[in-house]
């Protein structure tokens, strides 16, 4: 890598990251001061004004206080996890800012081009949703590790709340992705520029659902039940003090900025001015020409009000006069100011102005709305927002097919009646991410069934299921990152082709990743030994206690379908999908038509089993017949007797190997059920948080290092 590329690709993004990490805490400290000032104004009381002029140094005093405050850890807390929780909350919030574009036009510093974003990826929106949802794990971890009933109840509330509002939030953005045809944050804004209109106009219902769900996701008023002081002392952070306590609030305010930025980009044109398609309003491009005099006039008027005791009359009058002056300068292009072309400055101005309006709405809600009751919160999410958010994308176009739509059952297309048929319904370049997203939606049916049954057993089963899903979703996600790094794609078809090119199944370099994936997948499907959500010895039947008939059958249909889906994903990611064993070994090409071996093996075993049934010899004849049949099949395949092994039927042979591998995984599910006892709840949580998550993260780091060292 030459010097220019090194500076462009490594140094500049690193400096951008440091700027964000260093400036953001200071910005959030003063955002809290603004919040306290605005709330004081709304409630007709004095806001902080003792430290510095009108309280301007109050955030510095608060930061010093938190730094020197004693760090208390409860005696019976899980010390490591207790310390890890606030860090696990704040890191995803900061990481989400990496794909936020603050303006549209790059600028130059010292001859090097600097983009007003850290990185732009074609799945930026999916990355944002994924990384933002990780913050909940820090809250749950903090509540559980504190060994306090108030903290635990706050954490459980937070997990149920997050799950309830994650669905409408996800559905709300589908319409935007459909309109723009991309998940890149930069391209979504450019799509609004090409359309000449902000997407909030055609997607008003989607924006409504998104913003309400986003407020709930950030645990802000009126959805701040996880830290309700009237009931839970301080909820999930009851036992925290000092900088650990500050980290939770740093994460909360960072998440407010992130969701406000996402709303700005998806629905309000990001860095675009209002009415981007109206050429006669081009003077708005440099909108700071209007806002600058408005703010200055308002500030001078406020100073007059402070001295004369005239309320806020002079402030409003000064703001109006300043705004009119700014409009006059901009419209007439006095001094050529409005005609200046500084796209990076004007874009950043409009972006941060829109984000500031959303942040003001957060503060306004806090000073206006009372806290919801828990039943009101759940009813709003499940009875109103979810149906509305589902209707919004349906009104745009029919939503994507379910999880099996992107599973490739073989590698080669075949022809029927002169038409080519692919052995998959669709192949998209984010198929793996789509699979993870669509598969995780099943948990909402379990939670909805448990909550709506109005039964303590059903509700406990649903809560267990939500905590279990959240605990094992992380290692499952990290486990597949190594495969994506090796293959360089998220397309299910291309991942298999990458294994063919490499000549080896990815389970060999990713054995730790496969181990984490499969254990987490068994837990995700609520199968033994992770079937605590329906533990009959404790909860009668758990979340489906009150169900019968076909409704009861639907839960089991979903469970077994999920088993097939996760087995198919494991087959594709780690075991070569439709590829035969040892795809890089040419001398084993006779394995391509593996059904030549399996067919005689199964037939011999079946005939031996019939003999066993009649003679009462146990299973001896079955095993003997299977071995003889298998040997016969190998002989036919190796010698190519009758030219059978040399037949080229890739669709059949690919489907054979795919379904054989999936069947082996399904057998493992059954084997586990007949072998392992059910885990205790503390064992289940410890396995997820103490073992699988660290191992899956180490696997990603090790994979990255190997790829880096090998160039």
């Amino acid at each position: 890598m030459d010097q220019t590329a090194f500076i462009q690709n490594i140094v500049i993004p690193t400096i951008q990251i440091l700027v964000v990490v260093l400036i953001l805490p200071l910005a959030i400290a003063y955002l809290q001061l603004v919040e306290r000032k605005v709330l004081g104004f709304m409630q007709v009381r004095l806001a902080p004004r003792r430290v510095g002029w009108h309280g301007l140094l109050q955030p510095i005093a608060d930061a010093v206080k938190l730094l020197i405050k004693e760090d208390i850890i409860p005696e019976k807390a899980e010390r490591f996890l207790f310390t890890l929780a606030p860090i696990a909350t704040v890191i995803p919030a900061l990481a989400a800012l990496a794909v936020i574009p603050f303006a549209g036009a790059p600028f130059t510093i010292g001859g090097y081009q600097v983009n007003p974003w850290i990185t732009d990826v074609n799945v930026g929106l999916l990355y944002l949703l994924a990384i933002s949802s990780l913050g909940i794990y820090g809250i749950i971890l903090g509540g559980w590790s504190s060994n306090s009933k108030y903290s635990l109840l706050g954490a459980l509330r937070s997990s149920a709340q997050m799950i309830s509002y994650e669905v409408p939030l996800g559905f709300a953005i589908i319409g935007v992705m459909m309109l723009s045809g991309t998940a890149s944050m930069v391209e979504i804004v450019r799509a609004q520029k090409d359309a000449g209109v902000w997407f909030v106009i055609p997607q008003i219902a989607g924006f409504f659902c998104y913003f309400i769900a986003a407020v709930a996701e950030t645990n802000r008023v009126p959805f701040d039940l996880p830290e309700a002081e009237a009931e839970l002392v301080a909820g999930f952070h009851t036992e925290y003090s000092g900088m650990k306590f500050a980290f939770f609030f740093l994460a909360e305010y960072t998440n407010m900025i992130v969701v406000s930025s996402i709303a700005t980009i998806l629905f309000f044109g990001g860095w675009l001015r209002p009415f981007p398609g109206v050429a006669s309003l081009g003077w708005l491009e440099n909108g700071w020409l209007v806002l600058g005099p408005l703010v200055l006039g308002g500030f001078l008027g406020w100073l007059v009000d402070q001295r004369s005791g005239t309320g806020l009359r002079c402030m409003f009058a000064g703001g109006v006069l300043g705004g009119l002056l700014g409009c006059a300068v901009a419209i007439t292009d006095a001094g050529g100011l409005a005609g200046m072309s500084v796209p990076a400055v004007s874009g950043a101005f409009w972006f941060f102005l829109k984000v500031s309006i959303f942040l003001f709405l957060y503060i306004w809600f806090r000073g206006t709305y009372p806290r919801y009751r828990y039943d009101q919160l759940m009813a709003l999410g499940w009875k109103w927002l979810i149906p509305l958010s589902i209707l919004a994308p349906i009104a745009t176009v029919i939503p994507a097919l379910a999880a099996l739509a992107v599973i490739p059952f073989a590698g080669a297309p075949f022809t029927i009646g002169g038409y080519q048929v692919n052995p998959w319904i669709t192949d998209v370049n984010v198929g793996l991410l789509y699979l993870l997203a669509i598969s995780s939606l099943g948990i909402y049916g379990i939670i909805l069934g448990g909550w709506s049954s109005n039964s303590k057993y059903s509700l406990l089963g649903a809560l267990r299921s939500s905590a279990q899903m959240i605990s094992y979703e992380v290692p499952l996600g990290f486990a597949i990152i190594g495969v994506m790094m090796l293959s360089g794609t998220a397309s299910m078809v291309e991942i298999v082709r990458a294994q063919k090119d490499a000549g080896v199944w990815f389970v060999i370099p990713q054995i730790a990743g496969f181990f984490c994936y499969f254990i987490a997948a068994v837990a995700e499907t609520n199968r033994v030994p992770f079937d605590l959500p329906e533990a009959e010895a404790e909860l009668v039947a758990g979340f489906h206690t009150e169900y019968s008939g076909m409704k009861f059958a639907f839960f089991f249909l979903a469970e077994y379908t999920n088993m097939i889906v996760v087995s198919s994903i494991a087959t594709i990611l780690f075991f070569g999908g439709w590829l035969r064993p040892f795809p890089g070994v040419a001398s084993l090409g006779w394995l391509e038509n593996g059904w030549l071996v399996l067919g005689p093996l199964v037939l011999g075993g079946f005939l031996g089993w019939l003999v066993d049934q009649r003679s009462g010899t146990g299973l001896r004849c079955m095993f003997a017949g299977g071995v003889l049949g298998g040997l016969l099949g190998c002989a036919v395949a190796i010698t190519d007797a009758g030219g059978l092994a040399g037949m080229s039927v890739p669709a059949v042979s690919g489907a054979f190997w795919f379904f054989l591998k999936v069947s082996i995984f399904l057998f493992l599910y059954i084997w586990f059920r007949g072998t392992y006892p059910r885990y205790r709840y503390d064992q289940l949580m410890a396995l997820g948080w103490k073992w699988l998550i660290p191992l899956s993260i180490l696997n990603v780091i090790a994979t990255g290092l190997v790829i880096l060292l090998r160039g």
Side-chain angles (χ1 to χ4, degrees):
M1 184 183 295
D2 59 21
Q3 181 180 347
T4 302
F6 177 76
I7 293 175
Q8 196 74 50
N9 299 325
I10 304 296
V11 176
I12 291 177
T14 302
I15 293 173
Q16 290 176 309
I17 292 169
L18 290 175
V19 168
V20 169
V21 171
L22 293 175
I23 291 180
L24 187 68
L26 183 64
I28 286 174
Y30 277 91
L31 175 60
Q32 287 184 311
L33 178 63
V34 170
E35 181 172 25
R36 295 165 75 177
K37 288 281 190 183
V38 172
L39 290 175
F41 173 76
M42 288 180 173
Q43 297 162 0
V44 196
R45 60 176 173 80
L46 292 176
R49 53 189 294 137
R50 297 273 184 187
V51 186
W53 185 71
H54 280 276
L56 284 178
L57 297 180
Q58 185 66 47
I60 307 300
D62 290 340
V64 172
K65 178 193 74 174
L66 290 168
L67 279 168
I68 63 177
K69 197 171 184 180
E70 182 182 2
D71 182 23
I72 300 171
I73 299 179
E75 183 181 359
K76 294 187 178 180
E78 287 273 357
R79 297 181 69 89
F80 173 72
L81 298 180
F82 185 84
T83 304
L84 179 65
I87 300 172
T89 305
V90 79
I91 287 178
L94 293 173
L97 293 168
V99 294
I100 297 290
F102 303 106
F107 52 95
T108 302
I109 296 178
Y112 294 99
Q113 179 178 289
V114 180
N115 291 316
W117 54 78
I118 296 174
T119 184
D120 176 42
V121 290
N122 61 356
V123 290
L125 184 53
L126 300 178
Y127 164 83
L128 266 176
L129 290 179
I131 202 75
S132 299
S133 66
L134 290 180
I136 188 67
Y137 299 107
I139 292 175
I140 294 169
L141 199 56
W144 177 64
S145 63
S146 296
N147 197 24
S148 161
K149 61 181 180 182
Y150 297 118
S151 302
L152 183 59
L153 281 170
L156 286 173
R157 280 187 176 186
S158 189
S159 64
Q161 182 170 319
M162 185 274 290
I163 287 171
S164 300
Y165 284 84
E166 193 90 345
V167 180
L169 190 145
F171 274 115
I173 66 172
I174 291 178
V176 170
M177 292 176 65
M178 291 175 175
L179 289 175
S180 62
T182 180
S184 163
M185 304 297 280
V186 175
E187 294 302 323
I188 287 173
V189 179
R190 289 174 180 163
Q192 294 174 76
K193 184 178 181 179
D194 295 339
V197 65
W198 292 348
F199 282 163
V200 70
I201 296 175
Q203 286 291 310
I204 185 66
F207 167 69
F208 175 78
C209 293
Y210 171 84
F211 191 61
I212 293 178
V215 175
E217 287 276 286
T218 50
N219 293 334
R220 293 283 297 188
V221 175
F223 304 102
D224 59 334
L225 281 88
E227 50 191 272
E229 70 284 344
E231 308 158 34
L232 304 179
V233 184
F236 63 89
H237 56 70
T238 299
E239 305 296 337
Y240 283 89
S241 62
M243 285 306 294
K244 293 190 182 76
F245 175 81
F247 268 33
F248 279 118
F249 278 87
L250 176 63
E252 178 181 318
Y253 281 83
T254 304
N255 282 327
M256 287 167 53
I257 294 172
V258 168
V259 299
S260 299
S261 300
I262 296 173
T264 296
I265 291 167
L266 299 190
F267 299 101
F268 290 88
W271 60 82
L272 302 178
R273 63 174 172 84
F275 309 106
V278 181
S280 59
L281 293 176
W283 56 272
L284 281 173
E285 197 69 43
N286 293 327
W288 45 273
L289 286 174
V290 179
L291 191 68
L294 186 154
V295 171
L296 180 61
F299 177 69
L300 294 174
W302 175 77
L303 289 177
V304 174
D305 287 327
Q306 294 294 300
R307 291 184 177 274
S308 60
T310 51
L312 296 175
R313 282 178 290 181
C314 295
M315 184 186 82
F316 285 115
V320 170
L321 290 174
L324 291 173
L325 175 63
C327 287
V329 171
I331 293 173
T332 60
D333 195 13
L337 294 174
M340 287 193 304
S341 180
V342 280
V345 175
S346 59
F349 164 78
W350 282 114
F351 180 85
F352 287 111
L353 178 62
K354 296 169 189 174
V355 170
S356 299
I357 292 171
F358 281 113
L359 294 174
F360 174 75
L361 289 176
Y362 271 104
I363 298 169
W364 190 10
F365 292 165
R366 181 174 177 180
T368 307
Y369 291 109
R371 180 180 296 125
Y372 273 19
R373 293 196 317 267
Y374 197 73
D375 61 312
Q376 293 173 323
L377 178 138
M378 298 299 282
L380 176 64
W382 289 103
K383 293 182 178 179
W384 295 97
L385 287 188
I386 290 179
L388 182 59
S389 63
I390 292 173
L391 287 174
I394 289 177
T396 308
V397 73
I398 299 173
L401 295 171
L404 292 172
V406 295
I407 298 289
F409 303 108
F414 53 94
T415 303
I416 296 179
Y419 295 98
Q420 179 177 291
V421 180
N422 290 317
W424 54 79
I425 297 174
T426 182
D427 176 42
V428 290
N429 62 355
V430 291
L432 183 53
L433 302 178
Y434 164 83
L435 264 176
L436 289 178
I438 204 75
S439 299
S440 66
L441 291 180
I443 186 67
Y444 299 105
I446 292 176
I447 294 169
L448 191 58
W451 174 68
S452 62
S453 296
N454 196 24
S455 160
K456 64 179 181 181
Y457 297 118
S458 302
L459 182 58
L460 281 172
L463 287 173
R464 279 188 175 185
S465 189
S466 64
Q468 181 170 319
M469 185 275 290
I470 287 171
S471 299
Y472 284 84
E473 194 87 346
V474 181
L476 189 145
F478 274 115
I480 67 170
I481 291 178
V483 171
M484 292 176 65
M485 294 167 75
L486 289 176
S487 61
T489 179
S491 162
M492 304 297 280
V493 175
E494 293 303 322
I495 287 173
V496 179
R497 289 173 179 164
Q499 294 174 76
K500 183 177 182 180
D501 294 340
V504 65
W505 293 348
F506 281 163
V507 69
I508 296 175
Q510 286 290 306
I511 185 65
F514 167 68
F515 176 79
C516 293
Y517 170 85
F518 191 60
I519 293 179
V522 175
E524 288 276 285
T525 50
N526 293 333
R527 293 286 296 185
V528 175
F530 303 101
D531 58 336
L532 280 89
E534 51 191 271
E536 69 284 345
E538 308 159 37
L539 304 180
V540 185
F543 62 88
H544 55 68
T545 299
E546 306 297 333
Y547 283 87
S548 61
M550 284 306 295
K551 293 189 182 77
F552 175 81
F554 268 32
F555 279 116
F556 278 86
L557 175 63
E559 178 181 318
Y560 281 83
T561 303
N562 282 328
M563 287 166 54
I564 294 172
V565 168
V566 299
S567 299
S568 300
I569 295 173
T571 296
I572 291 168
L573 299 190
F574 299 101
F575 289 89
W578 61 80
L579 301 179
R580 62 174 173 83
F582 309 106
V585 182
S587 59
L588 293 177
W590 56 273
L591 282 173
E592 198 69 44
N593 293 326
W595 46 272
L596 287 175
V597 179
L598 191 69
L601 187 153
V602 172
L603 180 61
F606 176 69
L607 294 175
W609 176 78
L610 290 177
V611 174
D612 286 327
Q613 294 296 301
R614 291 183 175 274
S615 59
T617 51
L619 296 175
R620 283 178 291 182
C621 294
M622 184 186 81
F623 285 116
V627 170
L628 291 174
L631 291 173
L632 175 62
C634 287
V636 171
I638 293 172
T639 59
D640 194 15
L644 294 174
M647 287 193 303
S648 179
V649 280
V652 175
S653 59
F656 164 78
W657 281 114
F658 180 86
F659 287 111
L660 176 62
K661 297 169 189 175
V662 170
S663 300
I664 292 171
F665 281 112
L666 294 175
F667 173 75
L668 289 177
Y669 271 104
I670 299 168
W671 189 14
F672 292 165
R673 181 175 180 180
T675 306
Y676 290 107
R678 180 180 296 125
Y679 274 16
R680 295 195 315 268
Y681 198 74
D682 61 314
Q683 293 174 322
L684 179 140
M685 297 297 284
L687 176 62
W689 289 100
K690 293 183 178 180
W691 295 98
L692 287 188
I693 291 178
L695 180 59
S696 60
I697 293 174
L698 286 174
N699 176 65
V700 172
I701 295 171
T703 304
L705 288 174
V706 170
I707 292 174
L708 184 64
L709 292 173
R710 294 181 61 183

